[in-house]
Amino acid sequence: MTSLRSAPNPGGPRRKATEAPALAVAAVAKRLGVAPATLRTWDRRYGLGPSEHTAGSHRRYTADDVARLVVMRRLTLEGVAPVDAARAALDADEAELALEIEVGHSEADDDADDDADDDADGADGPDGDGDPEPGTDSSSAADTPPGGVRLLRSVPRSADDEPVRLGAPRPTSVSDVVDAAIAFDQKKCDQLLRIAPGTDPGHWWSTLVEPALHRIAERTFLASPGEMPEVVFSNATLAALREYTHASEEALVAGGGPPPNHPSRMRRIVLIFAAPGEQVPLAAHALAAALGAQGAMARIVTGSATAHRSLELVTMVRPAAIAVVTMQPRPVLDVVQTLHEANPDLPIFVGLANDEAAASLPYASTVQRVRSFTGLLHEALAVVR
């Protein structure tokens, strides 16, 4: 098997932030507070390895290499995925690397002063050599240098991406949510899934809620009476969407906008159906919230939605579009055929990942199968905007 060794930066050779003596892997590992094996893994997997070759084929880390490893280390501590942190480290420009080295030198001077004080006071570590104990994190104090909170670019998704703010609270991860749900900790799950003001509910669903939901569905649990991780998770998700929507509506009305049920807002409404048997249609609620965040009005059809009742609702509401959302692998989609036959000109968007299930959909220009939640959101917005 061929191993990856120090992959070059696509933009050209790495820029040297400053010249300094090259270091061996053991010295760099000690400076970062990680095991040498971790550095070798980062080299093999992500190309964050030593770039200087010396006689005898020894490879040593330059100051530039060490600065990139510091970026990698700090971003992973902030909760950034290792592959994304590595990409950010490789993409760091000369100014960022120079700042890493400058801060590193400042911290080294501070550590030297502290060690001198400790030596004078007889306060060495348990070994008497002043070295940190194995497993201690020697880089945690470097999150916020004396000059203030530092900024580093994360892995860029676009030219307008904001930099990562080191020292900020770690973002909620999928594992955090899953752990809270399987621990039946409703309060913590509510806190973790709360949608912060200004957050896009569609992004929140796609990157946090849906992956956590799939991971919970894959697990097997031994629970006591009244304990269901799925219920804890569903309650927290619905509470987060409800709180976010109420806050958004209150802000709209406070700014002089019309209330939710005003006729001006109901003219271009999206009616969202869940597939039969969808006990808790979380995706439908998330889609409605995501549409609302973009200024569109949406309502979810809940309860018993027979073919006759569905036709009555469409006739009464007169929606601009219909969206059918399901997370079932093989849903029954008879409602799509029924609604299309009665309203052949009405746009119907069906969110469906399974190709076999899509074969039952009517062949019509107004009935579109969409494979992803984001695609479904964009298609509905294109109609109602």
Side-chain angles (χ1 to χ4, degrees), residues 62-385:
T62 65
D64 182 25
D65 300 331
V66 175
R68 294 183 191 279
L69 290 172
V70 172
V71 175
M72 173 75 173
R73 172 71 165 154
R74 287 184 174 165
L75 290 181
T76 53
L77 288 175
E78 292 296 325
V80 178
V83 64
D84 293 339
R87 195 173 304 133
L90 289 170
D91 289 343
D93 59 27
E94 187 173 3
E96 290 171 344
L97 297 180
L99 179 59
E100 290 292 347
I101 294 171
E102 179 182 353
V103 172
H105 289 167
S106 174
E107 289 165 357
D109 293 340
D110 291 342
D111 291 343
D113 292 341
D114 292 342
D115 289 343
D117 293 340
D118 290 343
D119 290 341
D121 296 337
D124 283 341
D127 325 1
D129 59 3
D131 288 338
E133 294 184 32
T136 58
D137 186 359
S138 64
S139 65
S140 60
D143 287 344
T144 306
V149 179
R150 293 182 45 223
L151 298 177
L152 286 174
R153 293 182 306 171
S154 182
V155 177
R157 284 191 285 263
S158 71
D160 299 327
D161 271 354
E162 292 293 330
V164 174
R165 186 178 296 272
L166 296 185
R170 184 175 66 85
T172 300
S173 69
V174 173
S175 296
D176 293 334
V177 177
V178 173
D179 290 344
I182 64 179
F184 313 109
D185 191 337
Q186 187 69 66
K187 183 177 180 180
K188 184 175 182 180
C189 205
D190 290 345
Q191 293 173 343
L192 292 172
L193 286 180
R194 184 168 288 117
I195 306 174
T199 301
D200 175 18
H203 180 75
W204 168 84
W205 169 265
S206 300
T207 61
L208 180 63
V209 180
E210 188 174 24
L213 187 60
H214 285 309
R215 193 176 297 182
I216 292 173
E218 294 169 352
R219 302 281 291 272
T220 302
F221 308 97
L222 292 176
S224 300
E227 295 180 338
M228 289 186 66
E230 302 92 331
V231 173
V232 173
F233 181 83
S234 297
N235 287 342
T237 301
L238 293 175
L241 290 168
R242 186 168 58 250
E243 180 183 359
Y244 175 88
T245 301
H246 287 174
S248 299
E249 293 291 351
E250 288 177 358
L252 178 63
V253 174
N261 293 326
H262 192 274
S264 64
R265 299 184 62 187
M266 300 296 288
R267 293 192 189 105
R268 306 285 296 170
I269 189 173
V270 178
L271 207 55
I272 303 176
F273 286 81
E278 200 99 14
Q279 296 182 352
V280 185
L282 296 180
H285 288 268
L287 179 63
L291 286 167
Q294 299 294 328
M297 178 61 68
R299 287 292 182 267
I300 307 118
V301 178
T302 61
S304 178
T306 62
H308 178 70
R309 183 57 181 155
S310 298
L311 290 174
E312 285 185 339
L313 283 171
V314 171
T315 302
M316 178 178 63
V317 176
R318 293 187 294 178
I322 288 176
V324 180
V325 189
T326 179
M327 297 190 70
Q328 299 177 26
R330 292 177 176 78
V332 177
L333 298 173
D334 294 343
V335 65
V336 177
Q337 183 71 42
T338 301
L339 294 175
H340 171 67
E341 290 177 353
N343 305 272
D345 296 327
L346 179 62
I348 302 176
F349 304 106
V350 184
L352 197 59
N354 188 288
D355 291 331
E356 294 181 9
S360 64
L361 296 176
Y363 289 98
S365 60
T366 54
V367 178
Q368 297 186 33
R369 178 265 186 106
V370 187
R371 295 177 180 272
S372 68
F373 179 91
T374 303
L376 190 60
L377 172 62
H378 290 169
E379 292 289 352
L381 285 174
V383 172
V384 299
R385 275 181 167 177

